[in-house]
Amino acid sequence: MKAKWWQTAVVYQIYPRSFQDSNGDGIGDLQGIITRLDYLENLGISAIWLSPVYQSPNDDNGYDISDYQNIMTEFGTMEDMDELIKQAEKRNIKIIMDLVVNHTSDEHQWFIESRKGKDNPYRDYYIWRDPVNGRKPNDLRSIFSGSAWEFDEESGQYYLHLFSKKQPDLNWENESVRQEVWDMMNFWLEKGVGGFRMDVIDLIGKIPDQEITGNGPKLHEYLQEMNEKTFGNYDVLTVGETWGATPEIAKLYSNPKRKELSMVFQFEHIGLDQQEGKDKWDTKPLSVNELKKVLSKWQTSLGNEGWNSLFWNNHDLPRIVSRWGNDTTYHKESAKMFAILLHLMKGTPYIYQGEEIGMTNCKITDISEVNDIESINMYKERLAQGYSKEEIIDSINKKGRDNARTPMQWDNSENAGFTTGTPWLRVNPNYKEINVTANLADANSIFYCYKQLIQLRKDNPIIVWGDYVLVEEVPEQVFMYLRKFEGETWAVVANFGDQAVAIQLPEFGQSTRILIANYPRSSVEFSQLELKPYEAFAVKL
Ligand code: GLC
Ligand code: CA
């Protein structure tokens, strides 16, 4: 089978604001990224997904765009962007742009016009509705708390915002809106970008009047039109952020025959520590059995009719090593365990900045330390509902998005080498131990485990194409699966527990062909296998 480049690639996500500051203003920028490309080349990644770098008032840190064809002043200029694309290309790294087109900023020219009145030609670029019985049109809620409808005094109508008030939703039913988006995408494609990550793309087919938001009836029609009008003739990676996707829905997006996207981000595993029917803030302990069930389902159900992505982290999620691993006694072991387990599955792995050195969540004690609009809005809402401060802060420490957004930890100098100025968000105090320099100096570091995994994928088609089989005859805390390809079988074993555990699987025999491991190990005897806390390895049978 001839692979597409994105089927063998590993993608690295950069949150530019927190990656590397080059001019001492405390905010990461494009020149900063350029200075770190050699580091990323050393890691071995094939593409960078760049969180938004466009002009933005930063109500939601760049996910509220006021000009899609200009660079955010704090991040640099279009010349810097061109240089980044070119410098990355020299190292065989493609730049994937974040495409945020469910909404714009309220400071986008289109919305400024739209707001001017019912007769403005841009009025219909957004979703405006009359009041119903003097109230908001319906009960749609914003993902960032409160109603999704904001009243505009001047025109006496409400506009829809599924995120913050400063992120009005575009009206995708309007052909001119779609044409503007296609033109903008073509502008970036002509610059030579390697593709798009599509922000909350499952929402563009919404029917607000019926309170339908995700997976609306015209969603796939729009995506087919997008493919045809923009990237269809380019060899690029496209990935949709699709919160409610099931395997069947994922096939609609990513079956190559349908000419939509390369792959989706599915979030089913990410929601497993959330209480049924409650918010992301209402957590429960992870069941490893559930995780096995969900990940295995996604491994086996797409077949040749779709493509998976693989991830634990992004800029919206807490750090996996703190969330489901152990960020103290078994920091290194558990970080590597998550890497080994995920990177040997089928699909395209994504690494979020800092994951490859085991960066952890960063605790706060007061809301004044928080930058993220989602956490701040939730804090206000829950306080009003009678939750205690302690409870709310605890849930922010567990799930808040700032956990992933603290500055990248490069070295043990002041501010972790991220900036010479005052960082826009505090640096995690553990940077003295957890940083890139320390990782590069230690042959057994988390960094080298990721590097080795990326190389294994490049060298072994079994990782890209092999069949996946879950091994069920193991204790709950052990996640074990096989990959099988052209007569070869690999076994991947991961202990999720902070206790040693024994497994007995005599039918798998014995092997000395260890491919990767997070403890020193030269052989495996499956009839009598003792796993150390968070131990993980892969072995050729
Ligand atoms: C996506 C982004 C998130 C953003 C939201 C609104 O979920 O990943 O960071 O706040 O969309 O654009
Ligand atoms: Ca800067």
Side-chain angles (χ1 to χ4, degrees), residues 20-29 74-75 419:
Q20 177 69 64
D21 177 21
S22 72
N23 63 353
D25 67 354
I27 298 173
D29 46 51
E74 298 96 308
F75 288 178
T419 181

Side-chain angles (χ1 to χ4, degrees), residues 60 63 103 144 163 197 199-200 241 315-316 401 405:
D60 186 19
Y63 284 90
H103 46 268
F144 291 164
F163 294 88
R197 173 266 182 184
D199 192 67
V200 290
E241 186 197 18
H315 64 294
D316 296 327
R401 303 194 300 178
R405 300 177 180 184

Side-chain angles (χ1 to χ4, degrees), residues 361-378:
N361 282 354
C362 186
K363 280 205 165 44
I364 53 147
T365 52
D366 190 77
I367 192 68
S368 61
E369 296 167 73
V370 177
N371 169 276
D372 172 28
I373 181 166
E374 183 188 42
S375 296
I376 293 172
N377 288 358
M378 179 280 285

Side-chain angles (χ1 to χ4, degrees), residues 1 299-300 307 344-347 460-469 482-486 488:
M1 221 178 306
Q299 284 294 296
T300 52
W307 192 255
L344 298 176
M345 288 185 175
K346 184 173 180 180
N460 296 281
I462 186 172
I463 303 176
V464 181
W465 303 117
D467 289 335
Y468 170 100
V469 186
L482 308 176
R483 299 297 307 276
K484 296 183 173 198
F485 185 66
E486 296 182 340
E488 189 170 315

